[in-house]
Amino acid sequence: MGQLGRGLALAWVGSALAGWLPGAWVVAAQSWCWGLASLLVMVVCWSLPPQVWLREPAWLLAGLLACAMGWVWQVPESLSWVAQVMTWGLAGTLLVERFGWTPLRQAVICLAWLQLPVLALQGLGVPLWNTDPHGTVGRRAVLAGLWAFASLWSSGWKAWTLAGLAMLTGSFTGLPALLRLLPINWIAPNAWIALTGLSFVTHRLWLPSLMSRWAVWSQTGFWTEHWLTGWGLQVVPAGFVERIQVGDHMMNSPLSALNSTWIDALVRGGLIGLAGLLALMAWAFRRSRATNTLWTWASALWVMTWQSVAAQPAL
């Protein structure tokens, strides 16, 4: 059972991080490969008795479905996205019920280290998933997030190395992993004063990125036009349009990203979507306090503030 759980977890997480289809955009490939792997995981897990029942994910998936039903009349294609997300969620729930969290954490750590040889090959000009030097995940922020969470779930020199790699990407997505390792009591007021001073000294590194996000976020007042169930997955009047690689060609991303999961939830999910996301994070906070994983919760909160998780399935 142990080997089966580790194998399924590695295949499930790996399909999301290292999805590949010839001539396909890396994010789309990850979505479809993850969906197929999730179906396989569901079939195997349903044939095994659960060790524990998780009730909360069922409520969360029901909330997602309730929110998405408001999108269908606007964008019928939203159903395919909802079906994918619910398939991923069900597969993850079944894995945890049968094998616990440990195989999933081990899979994330293993695939985080796998990025190093992949990056080395990309640096040598060997064509792999994409020509950008971002490992298998296709984006700098996603790579930083992967290394950061692997650091949070590691210890000793491994944690320091992974946190350092996350910061070397140039993305601040992995910052909480480094803060956790510093010998500082972050509850003390003096620590926050020092952090504020450090932020001021280094403002030239992060202020341009913040200002570019604010320029887009300040234009999202259009969310009130569909205030209850949101805009769904249709094109919105504002957002970042990313240049992506599809095969040997570069093109604009088919969806504009708002680079914040919270704003995404409000714009694309309306008040129902935002309420569902807040409920999810409240539940996660309670679980984190009980399981001593508050740094994981804080890191998820940090990533969601600066990145559109819905636009990057690997996150």
Side-chain angles (χ1 to χ4, degrees):
M1 287 290 287
Q3 294 293 337
L4 177 61
R6 283 189 285 271
L8 286 175
L10 193 61
W12 188 66
V13 177
S15 63
L17 297 178
W20 180 80
L21 292 173
W25 178 29
V26 63
V27 172
Q30 289 167 350
S31 298
W32 285 104
C33 289
W34 199 15
L36 292 174
S38 295
L39 292 175
L40 173 63
V41 166
M42 290 166 64
V43 170
V44 175
C45 288
W46 267 325
S47 66
L48 301 172
Q51 297 181 2
V52 63
W53 288 101
L54 298 179
R55 298 180 180 180
E56 295 90 342
W59 290 103
L60 296 174
L61 292 172
L64 171 65
L65 185 61
C67 177
M69 288 301 99
W71 301 347
V72 177
W73 67 275
Q74 302 173 54
V75 190
E77 295 82 3
S78 297
L79 277 178
S80 64
W81 180 85
V82 174
Q84 282 186 329
V85 175
M86 296 192 73
T87 302
W88 303 337
L90 284 171
T93 301
L94 292 172
L95 266 175
V96 174
E97 287 181 340
R98 270 69 181 175
F99 304 104
W101 284 103
T102 300
L104 290 175
R105 288 196 294 267
Q106 291 174 341
V108 170
I109 294 170
C110 176
L111 289 161
W113 287 110
L114 179 65
Q115 302 304 310
L116 292 178
V118 172
L119 285 167
L121 290 173
Q122 289 177 333
L124 294 173
V126 179
L128 293 171
W129 284 259
N130 58 304
T131 57
D132 294 329
H134 299 142
T136 66
V137 294
R139 191 177 178 189
R140 181 184 64 170
V142 181
L143 182 59
L146 171 61
W147 276 334
F149 280 100
S151 172
L152 290 171
W153 299 334
S154 301
S155 59
W157 68 268
K158 296 179 182 178
W160 278 100
T161 302
L162 289 165
L165 289 170
M167 297 305 297
L168 285 175
T169 63
S171 171
F172 283 92
T173 304
L175 181 61
L178 181 61
L179 295 180
R180 177 184 76 98
L181 297 171
L182 297 177
I184 297 174
N185 179 14
W186 292 107
I187 301 178
N190 291 340
W192 289 96
I193 295 173
L195 186 60
T196 302
L198 181 62
S199 300
F200 177 76
V201 172
T202 60
H203 72 278
R204 290 187 178 182
L205 297 176
W206 54 265
L207 188 58
S209 179
L210 176 61
M211 294 306 296
S212 64
R213 279 171 165 77
W214 179 253
V216 171
W217 295 344
S218 60
Q219 301 175 32
T220 55
F222 56 84
W223 75 272
T224 56
E225 297 179 24
H226 304 289
W227 60 272
L228 184 59
T229 57
W231 285 68
L233 296 184
Q234 62 182 312
V235 177
V236 294
F240 295 92
V241 179
E242 184 181 4
R243 292 289 291 173
I244 63 174
Q245 180 176 348
V246 179
D248 297 327
H249 305 285
M250 297 297 294
M251 59 177 288
N252 290 333
S253 169
L255 283 177
S256 56
L258 295 171
N259 282 21
S260 173
T261 302
W262 304 101
I263 297 178
D264 254 344
L266 180 62
V267 171
R268 300 193 182 279
L271 292 181
I272 293 178
L274 183 60
L277 183 58
L278 291 171
L280 169 62
M281 295 311 294
W283 166 76
F285 177 72
R286 290 185 59 191
R287 290 294 297 268
S288 296
R289 290 185 64 186
T291 56
N292 196 27
T293 54
L294 279 175
W295 275 107
T296 298
W297 178 84
S299 297
L301 201 69
W302 176 260
V303 172
M304 291 164 61
T305 300
W306 305 111
Q307 302 296 330
S308 293
V309 175
Q312 298 289 336
L315 282 176

